[in-house]
Amino acid sequence: MKLYAPSTIKEIREKHGFRLSKSLGQNFLTDKNIIDRIIESSDIGPEDLVIEIGPGIGVLTAEAAQYAGKVAAVEIDRNLIPILEETLAPYSNVTVINQDVLKTNLTELVERCRGKGGVKIIGNLPYYITTPIIMKILEDHVPADSITIMMQKEVADRIKAGPGSKTYGALSAAVQYYCTIRQVAAVPKEVFVPQPKVDSSVLKLDIRKQHPVELIDEKMFFVCIKSGFGQRRKTLLNSLTGAAGLSKDAVREILNAVHIDPVRRAETLDLDEFAAIANQMTEHIKNHQE
């Protein structure tokens, strides 16, 4: 059975009386080439655990199951569970978990399910929760090797953006701190059922074994990034004032100490510069507490 074929999707929906949920952003992929590229780029081995977020009717799941040691598919919509039980029946190495991934302890799931191999996360993410899902995986330090996911093109462009571009922001800096990024595929809206209003992209995020910058305090680094981009039209002097309780004079002193012009904006800073500011902020606070 070609689960990705529009006729199959229609047949399954009619058989189970399944209605698509707009609130859950359900769009089913119908292009086998894109499916193959997601699976191939995920580099799934026979002893690997694959965690899939939002399996839908099991299109990606069935492909991953042919290469992985085990697949754990997390699906929030309970109406899809009987469909998945049917479509994935041929694959004894698949476990379907009816949970909200944002409320799921993924680290615990990995520890419970993994074998001797690595951990690969895949998925076709609902547009409205793409960023929270990615940041949950990264901030929770889920022990995975990579995240290969489809997302709205606009979000992918923000993740890939570099300093100086209009799309570069807190999401760009955060994901680039945790991962190296590669675009796998551009996905036109026409290859989905139903057809969404926007195009998509598939990115592979390889989770770094070692972060690209040295930090005294990782939390301060993210305070610096979030404050800097919180009001992106403001200069660093103004956007960082109040961050971690720092006064404007203190921020000016910190920026001068790391040779960064106070009138620059966050969108011009690379990770090394954010790290320099954050480390100086940490030192400044420590010195003024003693």
Side-chain angles (χ1 to χ4, degrees):
M1 181 188 292
K2 295 180 179 179
L3 290 176
Y4 54 85
S7 59
T8 304
I9 295 170
K10 182 181 179 182
E11 182 183 322
I12 289 171
R13 287 177 58 192
E14 288 177 351
K15 177 182 176 181
H16 290 268
F18 177 75
R19 292 186 178 184
L20 290 157
S21 169
K22 285 188 177 180
S23 66
L24 295 178
Q26 291 171 333
N27 303 92
F28 300 140
L29 184 60
T30 64
D31 189 314
K32 183 64 162 62
N33 291 325
I34 300 296
I35 294 164
D36 288 343
R37 290 178 73 176
I38 293 172
I39 297 300
E40 288 166 11
S41 62
S42 300
D43 195 26
I44 300 166
E47 293 187 325
D48 288 346
L49 166 66
V50 171
I51 295 177
E52 183 184 6
I53 300 168
I57 62 169
V59 174
L60 265 180
T61 329
E63 293 293 324
Q66 297 175 49
Y67 298 92
K70 190 166 186 178
V71 179
V74 183
E75 175 56 58
I76 190 173
D77 188 351
R78 67 177 181 274
N79 295 317
L80 282 169
I81 302 306
I83 295 175
L84 288 166
E85 288 174 353
E86 179 182 303
T87 60
L88 300 175
Y91 307 102
S92 59
N93 59 338
V94 175
T95 301
V96 177
I97 301 162
N98 184 201
Q99 287 182 10
D100 179 349
V101 71
L102 292 175
K103 297 177 182 176
T104 301
N105 187 327
L106 293 175
T107 297
E108 187 180 274
L109 178 60
V110 168
E111 290 170 353
R112 188 169 73 244
C113 297
R114 79 182 302 172
K116 296 179 181 178
V119 178
K120 314 295 170 60
I121 298 175
I122 64 172
N124 174 15
L125 299 188
Y127 296 157
Y128 72 104
I129 54 167
T130 297
T131 298
I133 289 174
I134 292 172
M135 293 314 301
K136 171 187 169 63
I137 294 166
L138 298 177
E139 290 175 345
D140 288 357
H141 302 288
V142 176
D145 302 298
S146 63
I147 310 167
T148 306
I149 45 174
M150 178 141 28
M151 65 191 77
Q152 186 175 342
K153 180 181 181 295
E154 180 188 339
V155 178
D157 289 346
R158 285 168 53 204
I159 287 173
K160 295 184 300 175
S165 68
K166 290 181 179 179
T167 49
Y168 180 67
L171 179 64
S172 323
V175 176
Q176 290 168 30
Y177 170 74
Y178 286 114
C179 307
T180 58
I181 301 161
R182 177 167 69 88
Q183 174 147 335
V184 172
V187 187
K189 56 183 177 290
E190 289 81 11
V191 301
F192 292 96
V193 172
Q195 183 175 310
K197 295 179 180 179
V198 295
D199 293 331
S200 297
S201 293
V202 179
L203 295 185
K204 183 179 185 187
L205 312 177
D206 283 302
I207 299 174
R208 298 180 189 270
K209 303 299 181 189
Q210 187 172 349
H211 295 308
V213 291
E214 290 188 13
L215 301 172
I216 300 171
D217 183 344
E218 188 176 86
K219 287 183 179 178
M220 185 65 77
F221 177 68
F222 284 105
V223 166
C224 185
I225 287 172
K226 289 174 183 176
S227 299
F229 285 110
Q231 296 171 305
R232 56 187 301 140
R233 291 186 178 182
K234 288 190 174 184
T235 64
L236 286 170
L237 179 60
N238 289 324
S239 64
L240 294 179
T241 296
L246 293 168
S247 67
K248 182 171 284 191
D249 287 341
V251 171
R252 184 181 286 107
E253 181 183 325
I254 288 163
L255 292 172
N256 287 336
V258 294
H259 308 293
I260 291 176
D261 192 333
V263 302
R264 286 177 63 185
R265 290 174 170 79
E267 65 200 48
T268 69
L269 300 182
D270 59 24
L271 293 184
D272 287 321
E273 290 173 309
F274 274 120
I277 295 170
N279 288 341
Q280 191 65 32
M281 286 168 70
T282 303
E283 291 286 2
H284 179 93
I285 291 168
K286 179 184 174 184
N287 292 338
H288 285 75
Q289 284 176 341
E290 292 175 353

